[in-house]
Amino acid sequence: MPDPAPSWATSLPVGSDADLALVRQQIRQAAAGLGFGLVQQTKLVTAASELARNTLVHGGGGHVEITPLTLGAPRGLRLSFVDRGPGIRDIELAMTDGYTSGGGLGLGLSGARRLVDEFALDTEPGSGTTVTVTSWTTAVPAARPGA
């Protein structure tokens, strides 16, 4: 697979509820600018919102790296949520629908994984967690019947 060629990248802090709102806004704008459709934008922003909240609540804060990707016609957006919190002791359990270490619904990690094209989790107890997700635009929009 060829190396993605980012045209720009940015890093945003995830340390407060106000930061969460800014992260969602910036990711939606970046996705729209890359040609993501409204449904794709909503899925990506929803996943990002869950992961940013996990970074804040469970990781004690951190940052998100937002990187655009280009592989020929399809364009994508890679988001890496990084914290230096306690890490995840049991990844399999944490990725199970319904599991929660807090008071939430337990759909954060597993739900985010279903909303994106690529999902990677790197964690070490005591050293933090990095969750990286990537979503891609479709190379060619599907033709509408009768168009």
Side-chain angles (χ1 to χ4, degrees):
M1 180 151 135
D3 284 348
S7 56
W8 55 266
T10 191
S11 180
L12 298 172
V14 178
S16 69
D17 285 339
D19 290 341
L20 297 179
L22 180 62
V23 164
R24 286 190 296 268
Q25 177 187 27
Q26 291 296 311
I27 290 170
R28 183 171 298 279
Q29 288 176 353
L34 288 167
F36 282 70
L38 185 58
V39 171
Q40 290 176 303
Q41 291 174 40
T42 301
K43 286 180 177 182
L44 185 58
V45 170
T46 300
S49 183
E50 292 292 334
L51 296 172
R53 175 139 317 271
N54 283 355
T55 299
L56 178 61
V57 172
H58 302 292
H63 69 277
V64 58
E65 298 165 5
I66 304 170
T67 307
L69 306 172
T70 304
L71 288 173
R75 289 176 286 177
L77 200 56
R78 177 177 296 140
L79 310 172
S80 293
F81 296 85
V82 181
D83 70 58
R84 296 290 166 237
I88 301 171
R89 296 205 185 286
D90 188 336
I91 294 172
E92 188 175 336
L93 180 61
M95 293 299 297
T96 303
D97 283 349
Y99 172 76
T100 178
S101 61
L105 297 175
L107 298 176
L109 289 175
S110 60
R113 179 176 57 186
R114 285 191 299 274
L115 293 170
V116 297
D117 297 315
E118 300 169 23
F119 181 99
L121 189 149
D122 182 28
T123 187
E124 186 173 324
S127 296
T129 300
T130 299
V131 178
T132 302
V133 298
T134 304
S135 287
W136 296 96
T137 60
T138 53
V140 178
R144 292 190 333 215

